[in-house]
Amino acid sequence: MCGLAGVFNLNDKPITTQLLKKMGESIAHRGPDGEGIFIDENVGLVHKRLAILDTSEKGAQPMPSRDGRYILVFNGCIYNYLELRQKLRAAGHSFHSNSDTEVIVEGISAFGISFVEELNGMFAIACWDKQEKKLYLSRDRFGIKPLYYWFNGETLVFASEIKAILQHPDYKTEVDLGALNEYFTFQNLFTFRTLFKGVTMLPPANTVTMERSSTGVKHRSWWDYDFTKPDNGISFEEAKLETERLMEQAVARQMVSDVPVGSYLSGGMDSGTITSIASKYVPRMSTFTCGFDMSEVTGVEANYDERRDAELMANHFKTEHFEQVMNAGDLRWSLPKLVYHLEDLRVGMSYPNYYISRLASKFVKVCLQGTGGDELFGGYPWRYYRIFDSISQENFFEQYYSFWQRLVPDGEKTTLFQEDKISQMDMSEPRTVFERVFTFNNSLRYDSPEAHIQNSLYFEAKTFLPGLFLVGDKLAMASGLEERFPFMDNDLVNFAQKIPVKYKLGNLTNEIKKIDENAHMKLRYRNFDDGKMILREAMKDYIPKKILDRKKQGFSAPDESWYRGENMGYVKELLLDKKKTVSYEFINPEYIERIVKEHNEQHINHRLLIWSFMNFEWWCRIFLNGETEGLN
């Protein structure tokens, strides 16, 4: 894992080393082990290296192909690089390093840019073809590694993080109001724009080709999720055994490294499964858990501390276990740093991620993560059952859009945003954006409960999951740590898409019967804990029964309680000071005041919205006002 950046001047203006160095320095945290620069007149590439495979100078980037035609910068890790290297050797290519980078550049040299479609791993790449004078940008199929770009018609600037693009003298920071509307609807962005006007994220499984004559940036999509073709002929037992085999294979593949590998251990099934398998390959493996001071926590949040279950598994797997205990005061210290590194505001109360990755980075350079298990194997049944009784595509969109307005419903937008900003927004756009996630794939159907759940799995894999990957990448790389995601192995994902819904959701048959009997009644919200049935069965011999039977719980700090208690002073200081709060340029202060008051006095849980207000406030202070206080 590393950081990359570059500039392509289509107007033939030469690139300066000074600019590339400045861009590289802004993302130096991503690659503390070395820097490389390449300039070919009007094209420049810079790379900050975190050495994981072949830590010698032979693995340094930018890396040329053996024939000198292609120059590559790459961020990520390719888990099938040894198999691909054998294929390339058979085609006459030789290698002087043991790095996956060289396999990519030689593969492009042999087969063209479409070679990236054979990669099993996480990647963002930029490759310059010196002969054809073409620049290629591409991202992995799941969107694990970020890659952003800005194009003004004459200059293309691209980077692993937006802060490198901000170093270009021609870019001026403005807020994309459409993206702001989208963020305060979903606490996420379903399009590929960002809060930085003009800066776009390259979509997952997409490749861009740019040359001197290009007038715009055209994406070529080369892969997409497909949950619509389940293998209904497979038995539950066959599916269970294949899930187990592929899970073992995925973890084994992702253990490849020339530096120490550890694992997060949250106390849940997904991280427990990965740690169980990985610990076979690493004697006395290092594991990491984040816990919370619960002395002032009440209600459902009193169960948020997962340390006891994590300790149970650490003892079971005989790992060397480390814990980070957070208290309410850690929010104030970490928030400006978190927003600076995240830049592209996304899902979740993510400051525990910042702390746990910082802890892990003190002991290992690579850490395995359990993200992806829920999205592939049906870990959120309470979401799917909300749209179980949809009777048409239109009805499906209506029900599901209502649920996914995580922050501010459309009906309140006119009181949320300042009047002059509303006049520049399309208030119907979030609904359109939401529907386009589905209509992008014309194979989706809306004629049965199973189809609705398949569509839900598709939606979350396309939107919620990339948001989690983005948060994980940015906050881990803030400490120079590479995170890996064994659930996102190509073979495992391909099989998981084919597993029938009835094997993922244990309560499916009963729920269908209830809905058929009450066809005209809305299914009321209930708590469901029957997801990931096939994965639970496949892993029952790997992790303690207590963990398998445990109720689903997300990884989150007890902020509902802390916002009413120890952190209320900080919330008010940041959001309710009419002389200092910067985000009032965009957000109506009366709306914020009402939300904070309702959270405190009426015990309406607005923790996600308050978190998002605080994030945007710090975003405005850092990226609009240039504040640096609290970033070091």
Side-chain angles (χ1 to χ4, degrees):
M1 192 175 298
C2 309
L4 64 90
V7 181
F8 181 15
N9 285 330
L10 278 65
N11 58 8
D12 293 331
K13 184 179 178 180
I15 306 296
T16 67
T17 302
Q18 181 182 14
L19 173 59
L20 292 177
K21 278 190 168 294
K22 194 174 179 182
M23 294 173 71
E25 287 168 4
S26 70
I27 56 172
H29 50 275
R30 297 187 69 93
D33 298 329
E35 179 184 77
I37 288 177
F38 165 83
I39 295 177
D40 184 8
E41 297 179 346
N42 61 327
V43 171
L45 306 173
V46 60
H47 186 264
K48 301 297 292 189
R49 187 184 185 197
L50 181 66
I52 302 294
L53 292 175
D54 193 343
T55 59
S56 73
E57 282 302 308
K58 292 180 180 180
Q61 300 180 45
M63 182 178 286
S65 58
R66 297 283 278 181
D67 61 9
R69 174 175 174 176
Y70 296 94
I71 308 294
L72 180 79
V73 285
F74 155 62
N75 168 31
C77 186
I78 308 304
Y79 307 120
N80 64 335
Y81 82 102
L82 292 176
E83 299 97 302
L84 293 174
R85 186 163 66 177
Q86 289 300 110
K87 175 181 176 179
L88 289 165
R89 277 180 170 158
H93 289 255
S94 59
F95 297 84
H96 79 284
S97 78
N98 293 315
S99 72
D100 50 352
T101 309
E102 189 175 19
V103 170
I104 299 173
V105 74
E106 290 303 314
I108 293 173
S109 177
F111 302 107
I113 191 61
S114 62
F115 179 75
V116 301
E117 299 170 31
E118 297 186 42
L119 303 179
N120 187 348
M122 52 185 185
F123 62 86
I125 69 169
C127 184
W128 175 241
D129 181 345
K130 295 172 65 176
Q131 179 177 309
E132 296 288 335
K133 302 298 182 183
K134 292 181 179 179
L135 176 72
Y136 300 104
L137 304 177
S138 193
R139 281 184 78 203
D140 65 75
R141 61 179 60 185
F142 310 123
I144 299 175
K145 304 311 302 168
L147 187 60
Y148 299 92
Y149 67 83
W150 170 68
F151 182 60
N152 67 356
E154 293 187 339
T155 298
L156 178 75
V157 186
F158 55 92
S160 297
E161 296 187 12
I162 299 169
K163 56 182 64 68
I165 296 175
L166 304 185
Q167 306 307 311
H168 195 281
D170 291 345
Y171 181 79
K172 308 302 178 187
T173 302
E174 294 182 53
V175 174
D176 184 319
L177 295 178
L180 187 66
N181 187 10
E182 197 177 333
Y183 173 71
F184 276 106
T185 305
F186 307 119
Q187 202 189 38
N188 200 359
L189 297 179
F190 296 167
T191 57
F192 299 100
R193 58 191 173 191
T194 69
L195 287 178
F196 296 84
K197 189 173 182 178
V199 176
T200 302
M201 173 180 276
L202 181 64
N206 269 254
T207 297
V208 161
T209 303
M210 295 290 291
E211 53 191 320
R212 177 66 181 81
S213 60
S214 297
T215 57
V217 181
K218 296 181 180 179
H219 305 150
R220 183 181 67 83
S221 178
W222 46 264
W223 185 88
D224 196 13
Y225 290 96
D226 188 358
F227 292 93
T228 66
K229 299 180 180 65
D231 182 359
N232 291 313
I234 194 171
S235 70
F236 184 88
E237 183 65 19
E238 289 170 333
K240 183 192 80 169
L241 291 174
E242 184 65 357
T243 298
E244 180 180 356
R245 183 187 75 82
L246 291 172
M247 193 74 225
E248 287 261 9
Q249 175 180 276
V251 176
R253 282 173 173 167
Q254 297 201 18
M255 295 302 294
V256 60
S257 175
D258 293 327
V259 296
V261 178
S263 180
Y264 295 134
L265 193 56
S266 69
M269 180 175 68
D270 295 345
S271 65
T273 295
I274 291 168
T275 302
S276 173
I277 299 170
S279 61
K280 300 176 184 179
Y281 298 91
V282 179
R284 194 71 170 151
M285 187 173 191
S286 296
T287 53
F288 308 94
T289 295
C290 187
F292 307 101
D293 170 24
M294 309 301 284
S295 59
E296 301 294 329
V297 176
T298 60
V300 67
E301 290 185 324
N303 297 314
Y304 275 18
D305 193 347
E306 300 183 318
R307 280 177 291 167
R308 177 175 288 183
D309 288 339
E311 289 164 0
L312 183 154
M313 283 199 286
N315 179 63
H316 186 80
F317 303 135
K318 307 304 178 190
T319 68
E320 185 174 15
H321 192 59
F322 301 90
E323 295 180 346
Q324 169 89 44
V325 182
M326 294 178 55
N327 57 56
D330 288 318
L331 174 65
R332 176 190 289 266
W333 182 87
S334 65
L335 193 55
K337 301 174 181 63
L338 180 149
V339 172
Y340 172 74
H341 285 288
L342 190 56
E343 319 166 305
D344 192 3
L345 302 183
R346 297 287 173 144
V347 298
M349 320 282 286
S350 53
Y351 64 101
N353 303 67
Y354 176 82
Y355 279 100
I356 189 67
S357 57
R358 190 183 66 152
L359 170 66
S361 71
K362 298 180 186 300
F363 301 93
V364 297
K365 271 194 169 184
V366 176
C367 209
L368 304 179
Q369 249 263 36
T371 303
D374 288 317
E375 290 75 15
L376 293 172
F377 290 93
Y380 303 115
W382 59 89
R383 296 178 185 171
Y384 319 140
Y385 292 145
R386 286 175 176 268
I387 41 78
F388 227 57
D389 58 345
S390 299
I391 58 176
S392 65
Q393 183 187 64
E394 182 180 355
N395 185 233
F396 175 90
F397 288 162
E398 189 68 33
Q399 292 192 52
Y400 218 32
Y401 181 65
S402 176
F403 171 70
W404 278 100
Q405 294 175 77
R406 287 166 61 90
L407 295 185
V408 180
D410 287 346
E412 295 186 16
K413 296 288 182 59
T414 55
T415 55
L416 168 69
F417 295 117
Q418 292 285 9
E419 188 173 343
D420 65 318
K421 299 301 185 288
I422 293 173
S423 65
Q424 302 175 60
M425 293 178 176
D426 178 357
M427 287 301 159
S428 66
E429 191 172 28
R431 173 66 180 260
T432 302
V433 164
F434 173 85
E435 293 185 5
R436 280 178 185 162
V437 176
F438 299 95
T439 57
F440 173 81
N441 188 328
N442 59 18
S443 68
L444 302 186
R445 298 292 179 264
Y446 305 84
D447 53 6
S448 70
E450 290 93 338
H452 298 324
I453 293 174
Q454 290 166 354
N455 295 346
S456 299
L457 294 172
Y458 176 81
F459 175 81
E460 297 200 11
K462 292 279 285 187
T463 60
F464 192 70
L465 186 56
L468 296 177
F469 288 144
L470 183 67
V471 170
D473 172 87
K474 297 286 188 68
L475 300 187
M477 288 309 302
S479 298
L481 177 74
E482 174 175 299
E483 290 188 344
R484 295 181 179 175
F485 306 89
F487 279 106
M488 307 314 295
D489 174 88
N490 288 5
D491 294 335
L492 181 58
V493 171
N494 289 341
F495 181 70
Q497 293 177 107
K498 296 178 181 178
I499 297 174
V501 166
K502 63 184 177 181
Y503 295 163
K504 296 179 180 179
L505 302 177
N507 207 25
L508 177 65
T509 302
N510 291 334
E511 290 305 323
I512 290 177
K513 288 179 180 178
K514 291 176 188 176
I515 291 166
D516 289 343
E517 292 167 1
N518 303 279
H520 300 293
M521 295 178 62
K522 292 276 290 182
L523 183 67
R524 294 181 180 177
Y525 174 77
R526 295 196 301 277
N527 288 321
F528 294 94
D529 195 40
D530 58 344
K532 298 195 290 191
M533 181 172 65
I534 190 74
L535 187 61
R536 291 177 192 275
E537 286 297 311
M539 296 297 109
K540 68 181 181 181
D541 294 331
Y542 289 75
I543 58 181
K545 186 176 186 300
K546 177 182 177 182
I547 303 302
L548 279 176
D549 295 340
R550 181 179 158 218
K551 288 187 176 295
K552 171 69 180 170
Q553 176 176 308
F555 176 49
S556 180
D559 289 296
E560 179 183 358
S561 298
W562 284 352
Y563 289 164
R564 293 192 184 110
E566 295 174 78
N567 277 333
M568 179 42 58
Y570 181 56
V571 170
K572 290 181 176 179
E573 174 189 325
L574 197 62
L575 299 180
L576 302 183
D577 188 332
K578 293 188 177 181
K579 292 183 179 180
K580 293 183 179 180
T581 303
V582 181
S583 56
Y584 286 174
E585 179 184 348
F586 305 91
I587 307 296
N588 189 332
E590 286 75 23
Y591 190 91
I592 298 178
E593 289 173 8
R594 176 173 70 81
I595 293 299
V596 172
K597 184 175 182 179
E598 287 180 354
H599 187 88
N600 274 328
E601 298 179 7
Q602 300 176 35
H603 279 238
I604 300 174
N605 186 1
H606 287 306
R607 70 187 187 107
L608 290 180
L609 184 50
I610 292 173
W611 164 262
S612 297
F613 282 144
M614 291 195 296
N615 273 248
F616 183 57
E617 171 61 22
W618 268 113
W619 188 94
C620 291
R621 293 185 181 197
I622 295 168
F623 296 111
L624 294 182
N625 281 20
E627 290 189 27
T628 58
E629 181 182 353
L631 299 186
N632 298 317

